Amino acid sequence: MPPKPAPGRPGAWPSPISTADVVRAATRPGHPSVAGALTWWEEDRPAEGGRRTVVHVAADGTRRELLPAPWDVRTRVHEYGGRSHVVAPGAGLVFANHADQRLYLLPDGGGDPRPLTPEPEVECGLRYADPVVRDGEIWCVQERHTGDGKVTRSIVSVPLDGGEVRHRVGGHDFFASPVVSPGGTHLAYVCWDHPSMPWTGTELRVVRLSGGDPVCVRGGRDESVLAPRWKDDGTLYFVTDRSGWWNLEEITLTGGSRALYPAGEEFGEASAELGGAPYAVLGDGRLAVLRGRGELRLGVLDPATGTLTDLATPFDGWLPCLAADGATVCGVAYGPALPRSVVRVDVTTGRVETLRREPVGAPAAYMPVPRPVEITGPDGRVVHAIVYPPANPAVPATGGPAPYVVFAHGGPAARAIGALDPHKAFLTSRGIGVLDVNYGGSTGYGRAYRDRLRGRWGAGDVEDVVAAAEWLVTEGLADPERVAIRGRGAGGWTAMAACCASGVFRGGVSVSGAGALKAFTGSTHDFESRYVEWLVGPPDPLLYASREPMSRLAGLRCPMLLMHGRNDPVVPAAQAEAVVSALTERGVPCAYLSFDGEGHEFRRAETRSAVLAAELAFYQQIFRS
């Protein structure tokens, strides 16, 4: 029998999707490894304190978790982490353990993990990320914290037999993507210095391992170079945005270079995490690549001919974390009706095998169908966004405007993707629509789109989310009296700033958002400590006051909900507490939730459930549902 129509004002529709369902789905598989018929990947365990483990699929399809609690496979390099494991053939699984940040080896033959790196003098003072295996050693980025608060980074090699860690390259503020040439003669890597970020300006360098100074072969302050891979002993592949788009090129050690497939599309992505892999080298010399505008699709590029062929898969988007062995490529893919999935593809036969899907926890009919849109923003500029309309088969469609929440992603150079998302379904199944905005500054639409935020954080992002909210109303999708905004991290800043600048929002939610620039730059972690110079400008009290929410609270009238982890090393909780105190003094309705043991990103199941419940209650209250 068809479901009975259920009464209820939008925002209060009965829904089968609980907070537990949403949290259960958030396993976030990532960073796969592949060798023949064997596959490994990292995966979250929200119900186990938010730890992360490694899952292994054997040749016969048997799937098992390699590291039980309390092991937690997470690196804290840059505080955002990234790839934390690597498979060492014939030896075992090497991983970074969150509790002490040391590298451990889980032997192939069984037994307990044993440490490969020394215990640091300062707690968690030696951190490792982005590991690769070469000739019995793990090459990776090391981050060193000293008792006086100083942070330095270098590339090191760690013997698998437990020998002394060897320093290989230093002299820059940041490093990524160490790769040794096939013959073992050269090391290539990416580096950059303050105030640059990986997506604003990096250098590709090569050093002869027998001695000599590193040589910069590509990149600089205004060119982002990513993901080097060796073609042979004298040639490197890499991704560069020199053309205005992250495209693939190759360069020889003698200096000759060429674009492999010039296109107005992205072959890479901005990420604060280390270990991204937007392409992989196949056994026959071709490349498995990701490319597109907005969403990235999977294809095979022949560097010799420049021919690129898209692969037929049921997925609309892929995360930039590919691994390959022979004709097999493995990655994490998704679609509007498909959750994040670990997928193996045989590029010869076209066979697609799904090894793992995030659990959905609700019938497909309750999942919203995302629709990409282009909105005309200020000065006629395009703003990219994704609409998730309310969806509930038990409630008859009214066709009228609905309450909507505008989502502002973090980063701020990250991007919103059009994946099946139980968090959004939690809202849309209750009658609250979602508009996920890729405001100017987001990755996925070329260098010029990212550079729109240069010097304009707190202005350009705010203008774009306000324009997106006004578009919802103009299009008749949203009730003008029931539009809210929420953001996490940099998106929390944007949400607060937008509520200060515009009366279009009836409420705002900030999760882990910064409120005051001077206090933020003086207390945040080293990785982003000078990013504000690119986003806003050099320290200037008047300029900073014109952008930061804390100095603009006089324009804020709507209720606010702020949530923060008490152990956040990126945006200290004092940022949220100062905003809450100021709003309370002004008589602006404000609720504040803080969580012990949580950092910039909430990982524990109980925290995530509490956040979802608080958000829903807040929206229902301000929308009077």
Side-chain angles (χ1 to χ4, degrees), residues 450-519:
R450 294 200 313 278
D451 280 352
R452 275 182 20 190
L453 206 57
R454 186 172 193 167
R456 302 205 70 237
W457 194 41
D461 52 327
V462 170
E463 291 167 357
D464 286 356
V465 296
V466 169
E470 292 172 343
W471 175 86
L472 282 171
V473 173
T474 301
E475 291 292 307
L477 299 175
D479 181 342
E481 298 300 319
R482 293 190 291 171
V483 179
I485 184 170
R486 74 91 74 183
R488 187 186 67 80
W493 152 284
T494 300
M496 289 188 287
C499 288
C500 293
S502 172
V504 70
F505 300 109
R506 294 299 180 263
V509 177
S510 171
V511 181
S512 306
L517 288 175
K518 183 178 179 180

Side-chain angles (χ1 to χ4, degrees), residues 117-140:
T117 56
E119 188 171 353
E121 296 179 2
V122 175
E123 184 180 3
C124 295
L126 292 174
R127 307 174 183 182
Y128 306 88
D130 210 355
V132 295
V133 181
R134 178 66 196 220
D135 296 334
E137 293 183 303
I138 304 299
W139 295 68
C140 58

Side-chain angles (χ1 to χ4, degrees), residues 373-449:
V373 296
E374 292 185 358
I375 296 166
T376 301
D379 302 323
R381 64 179 184 250
V382 171
V383 179
H384 296 278
I386 306 171
V387 180
Y388 295 80
N392 188 317
V395 178
T398 63
Y404 261 82
V405 180
V406 173
F407 276 31
H409 62 68
R415 67 184 172 104
I417 60 175
L420 185 151
D421 186 346
H423 180 185
K424 295 183 177 70
F426 179 78
L427 298 176
T428 58
S429 64
R430 288 170 166 81
I432 300 173
V434 172
L435 180 66
D436 214 351
V437 183
N438 278 316
Y439 48 83
S442 304
T443 191
Y445 306 97
R447 177 84 192 213
Y449 197 82

Side-chain angles (χ1 to χ4, degrees), residues 62 83 154 161 171 197 208 246 276 350 368 396 434 512-513 524 555 598 612:
T62 303
R83 186 178 183 90
S154 60
D161 61 8
M197 300 298 286
R208 184 182 294 275
W246 270 314
V434 172
S512 306
T524 190
E598 295 286 9
L612 283 168

Side-chain angles (χ1 to χ4, degrees), residues 178 225 243 522 579:
V225 180
S243 69
V579 172

Side-chain angles (χ1 to χ4, degrees), residues 166 168 184-187 206-215:
R166 185 177 175 186
R168 296 289 187 166
T185 57
H186 291 82
L187 170 71
V206 178
V207 62
R208 184 182 294 275
L209 291 175
S210 61
D213 294 329
V215 176

Side-chain angles (χ1 to χ4, degrees), residues 1-88:
M1 296 179 61
K4 287 185 178 181
R9 185 171 181 173
W13 294 351
S15 169
I17 304 174
S18 67
T19 60
D21 292 327
V22 178
V23 172
R24 194 179 304 114
T27 57
R28 295 190 301 185
H31 299 295
S33 302
V34 60
L38 310 179
T39 313
W40 301 257
W41 65 86
E42 299 174 20
E43 192 172 288
D44 281 0
R45 294 288 179 267
E48 299 176 27
R51 74 182 189 93
R52 194 162 175 85
T53 188
V54 173
V55 177
H56 172 53
V57 172
D60 63 0
T62 303
R63 187 175 70 201
R64 67 188 181 96
E65 184 178 306
L66 295 183
L67 292 160
W71 296 106
D72 187 354
V73 184
R74 277 194 293 149
T75 174
R76 286 184 57 188
V77 173
H78 297 176
E79 297 298 352
Y80 289 115
R83 186 178 183 90
S84 302
H85 87 279
V86 67
V87 178

